Amino acid sequence: MLPDFASIIAETKEEALSCLSSLERAKVIAGGTDLMVKMRSGERYDHIIDITNIRELDGIAVKDGVVVIGPVATHARLGSDAAIRENAPGLALACSLVGSPQIRNMGTIGGNIVNASPAADSIPPMLIHDAMLTLESKGSSRKVRLEDIIVAPYKTSINTRELLGPVEITSLKGYREGYFRVAKRATWAISRLSVAWAISEEEGTFKDVKLAIGSCTPMPFRAVKVEGLLRGEKRQPGIIAEAVRIALEEIKLISGIRPSFAYKLPVLRGILENVLGGE
Amino acid sequence: MKTISFILNGKKTVVEVRDSETLLYALRERLGITSVKEGCEIGECGTCTVLIDDEPHYSCMTLASKANGSDVKTVEFLGTADLLHPLQEAFINSGAVQCGYCTPGMLLSAYSLLLKNKDPDTDDIREAISGNLCRCTGYIQIVEAIKDAAGLCKHNS
Ligand SMILES: Cc1cc2nc3c(=O)[nH]c(=O)nc-3n(C[C@H](O)[C@H](O)[C@H](O)COP(=O)(O)OP(=O)(O)OC[C@H]3O[C@@H](n4cnc5c(N)ncnc54)[C@H](O)[C@@H]3O)c2cc1C
Ligand code: FES
Ligand code: FES
């Protein structure tokens, strides 16, 4: 049984925002795949505001190299959408690996962001695409970079009166892009380790490298030191070994030494060598 | 309480539900559809699977109010004891049913797959039923059954 609450099925964004601003102990629900589990284990709210009927929060549009994703777009939708597959194939792949078909039909990209799990599959690819979030509350709105909003595992700086609106990502057409995750089994297992990348090369030289790593640190992170090291360098084993060393060092610096690193880091080394070495 | 109105197995259905109740509860306790089973209640077993607009969802983590205005199908939609769906025939013939607890959900995931893909290969089938656990059969007979049914459906259409 769920703890009792009153629910509001919001039909417009304005309605959701005014509920959030006026009601106490109110909480947004999208697909419910994270929130229902939490409520079942005792999290209590007085009001649950369902936002999945709000048309303007759904859908995917591309304009001038920017892909605008509605927060209630599901993982199933992102995994199969032509614009996402074309402009952010790593994100499409990551979303198609989430949970099970049922979880992908229910779970949304907005819920994945706000839940802010270190293992959230959509986050590393969105970091690669410099995702920018719009946060709205009654009478105001602000734009924040995804990497600035997650402050600790499962914690964001989004306040309780705010609604996550559209998520904008930049297209990386012309990049070699991908996503790889290691999980105990394919379905239902959360990622133990995940890597998102986008690399552009010209005649064996790295023009630009974007690399994000999930599940190793409290929040998925962009390996900017590695990116800086490789930019403009010829793709050859020496520099790749150095890049991998820096990535692993950075993880140890952020997280300290963890028991799981004994197996995680050698696996990560192998993945990064393949990714940077061009498979 | 909320009054929700939706299509359940092809019939218009109107029912009063509590704001905080799941679709699983509403189907079982208010509408008598007990083929939708309660297992883990946290999205991990799939025995509560229903089709919403022909796509599989976990009814244990879907608020009943979300069904308003949609098309919901449970295994009753597929066939009756006298007139089974080819998928149901194939499950029986292949020995894909043991205790039966996973079967309604499994059939619905398979049915949804066949709506989209008339000629699924083993990987497509395994992927489509990856959100449904079976503790008895070991899946081989289930995959075989779905393949057989796909062949039959294609042949008939
Ligand atoms: C069995 C199972 C397997 C899973 N497997 C994976 C997996 O492989 N990879 C993975 O990344 N995740 C996985 N998840 C987690 C979950 O499915 C995802 O995080 C999903 O994207 C959450 O989206 P939702 O719409 O269901 O969120 P909800 O549960 O509806 O909401 C989650 C949180 O976000 C808030 N929220 C949602 N939308 C907004 C908004 N627009 N504005 C403000 N706040 C908002 C809610 O208030 C709540 O706090 C799994 C979950 C389950 C139960
Ligand atoms: S009861 Fe819904 S997935 Fe287990
Ligand atoms: S037949 Fe028993 S769980 Fe599948």
Side-chain angles (χ1 to χ4, degrees):
Chain A
M1 273 289 199
L2 290 169
D4 219 24
F5 53 78
S7 74
I8 296 129
I9 318 280
E11 298 294 337
T12 65
K13 200 175 68 185
E14 285 62 40
E15 191 185 348
L17 292 177
S18 65
C19 289
L20 281 172
S21 84
S22 59
L23 298 172
E24 290 308 315
R25 289 170 37 108
K27 185 81 173 162
V28 165
I29 194 167
T33 58
D34 281 316
L35 189 60
M36 293 289 276
V37 176
K38 287 188 180 157
M39 290 199 292
R40 218 178 268 288
S41 59
E43 243 183 60
R44 296 185 73 97
Y45 300 96
D46 290 344
H47 303 275
I48 292 292
I49 304 161
D50 191 337
I51 58 167
T52 45
N53 274 7
I54 304 176
R55 292 277 292 275
E56 63 177 302
L57 295 182
D58 204 354
I60 293 160
V62 192
K63 209 178 147 204
D64 304 329
V66 176
V67 186
V68 185
I69 307 168
V72 304
T74 61
H75 292 294
R77 170 87 195 271
L78 278 131
S80 61
D81 184 85
I84 301 292
R85 290 172 82 133
E86 189 182 334
N87 293 288
L91 178 61
L93 176 61
C95 291
S96 70
L97 294 173
V98 166
S100 60
Q102 289 91 329
I103 293 289
R104 293 193 290 275
N105 286 330
M106 300 167 66
T108 65
I109 190 98
N112 207 220
I113 294 174
V114 179
N115 191 51
S117 158
D121 280 298
S122 74
I123 292 182
M126 283 195 288
L127 289 175
I128 295 295
H129 285 270
D130 296 311
M132 182 67 90
L133 315 181
T134 302
L135 294 166
E136 301 182 57
S137 50
K138 201 174 174 190
S140 73
S141 116
R142 60 183 177 124
K143 280 199 165 186
V144 195
R145 290 175 346 145
L146 171 61
E147 55 187 297
D148 294 334
I149 207 83
I150 304 174
V151 293
Y154 303 102
K155 237 188 156 67
T156 69
S157 57
I158 301 172
N159 78 48
T160 54
R161 309 263 184 220
E162 278 180 323
L163 184 69
L164 171 63
V167 179
E168 292 169 17
I169 62 172
T170 48
S171 166
L172 292 173
K173 264 195 211 163
Y175 281 66
R176 166 166 69 84
E177 182 177 333
Y179 181 72
F180 190 85
R181 80 171 204 169
V182 179
K184 261 196 179 159
R185 46 184 181 147
T187 304
W188 289 309
I190 56 163
S191 293
R192 298 299 162 112
L193 173 62
S194 59
V195 181
W197 67 90
I199 297 170
S200 89
E201 282 172 306
E202 216 171 66
E203 291 162 9
T205 297
F206 290 115
K207 269 174 68 188
D208 193 17
V209 175
K210 294 172 193 286
L211 186 67
I213 298 169
S215 295
C216 287
T217 50
M219 298 95 89
F221 76 106
R222 271 285 283 271
V224 284
K225 279 189 204 148
V226 173
E227 297 179 358
L229 174 79
L230 291 174
R231 207 167 290 128
E233 294 287 338
K234 276 229 160 334
R235 168 152 57 80
Q236 40 100 340
I239 193 91
I240 291 173
E242 177 62 5
V244 174
R245 192 188 65 76
I246 291 179
L248 301 190
E249 279 308 308
E250 198 165 0
I251 290 170
K252 285 188 256 179
L253 200 71
I254 302 172
S255 298
I257 301 293
R258 292 197 198 162
S260 63
F261 283 1
Y263 79 87
K264 264 192 187 179
L265 296 189
V267 176
L268 179 61
R269 167 177 294 130
I271 297 169
L272 292 178
E273 282 169 357
N274 286 342
V275 165
L276 298 172
E279 254 96 304
Chain B
M1 299 291 283
K2 282 193 167 44
T3 304
I4 60 167
S5 150
F6 61 110
I7 307 290
L8 175 60
N9 296 329
K11 278 197 227 103
K12 185 166 176 184
T13 303
V14 180
V15 64
E16 286 255 310
V17 298
R18 263 181 304 111
D19 286 24
S20 59
E21 98 187 27
T22 61
L23 182 57
L24 172 66
Y25 182 92
L27 288 171
R28 288 183 62 87
E29 307 297 330
R30 297 190 193 275
L31 296 161
I33 307 270
T34 50
S35 65
V36 186
K37 303 282 180 234
E38 181 179 309
C40 66
E41 296 206 285
I42 51 168
E44 296 193 341
C45 75
T47 193
C48 67
T49 298
V50 299
L51 302 185
I52 300 182
D53 299 331
D54 285 334
E55 291 291 341
H57 286 66
Y58 293 137
S59 63
C60 70
M61 29 185 17
T62 301
L63 288 178
S65 56
K66 279 182 178 285
N68 191 37
S70 58
D71 176 84
V72 177
K73 292 188 177 89
T74 66
V75 78
E76 283 73 8
F77 182 82
L78 297 199
T80 60
D82 304 332
L83 189 61
L84 293 173
H85 186 276
L87 269 167
Q88 293 168 311
E89 295 271 11
F91 267 57
I92 294 168
N93 295 337
S94 309
V97 184
Q98 284 185 31
C99 78
Y101 207 72
C102 69
T103 310
M106 207 60 97
L107 284 165
L108 289 167
S109 288
Y111 176 79
S112 174
L113 168 71
L114 296 188
L115 287 179
K116 291 169 286 199
N117 183 349
K118 300 271 176 256
D119 198 11
D121 62 23
T122 303
D123 285 346
D124 297 331
I125 295 172
R126 292 176 64 98
E127 172 58 34
I129 60 168
S130 63
N132 298 76
L133 282 188
C134 176
R135 302 299 295 269
C136 302
T137 65
Y139 303 101
I140 292 171
Q141 297 90 329
I142 295 176
V143 172
E144 284 307 314
I146 297 171
K147 239 187 233 162
D148 289 350
L152 253 175
C153 293
K154 230 177 38 183
H155 189 73
N156 289 350
S157 61

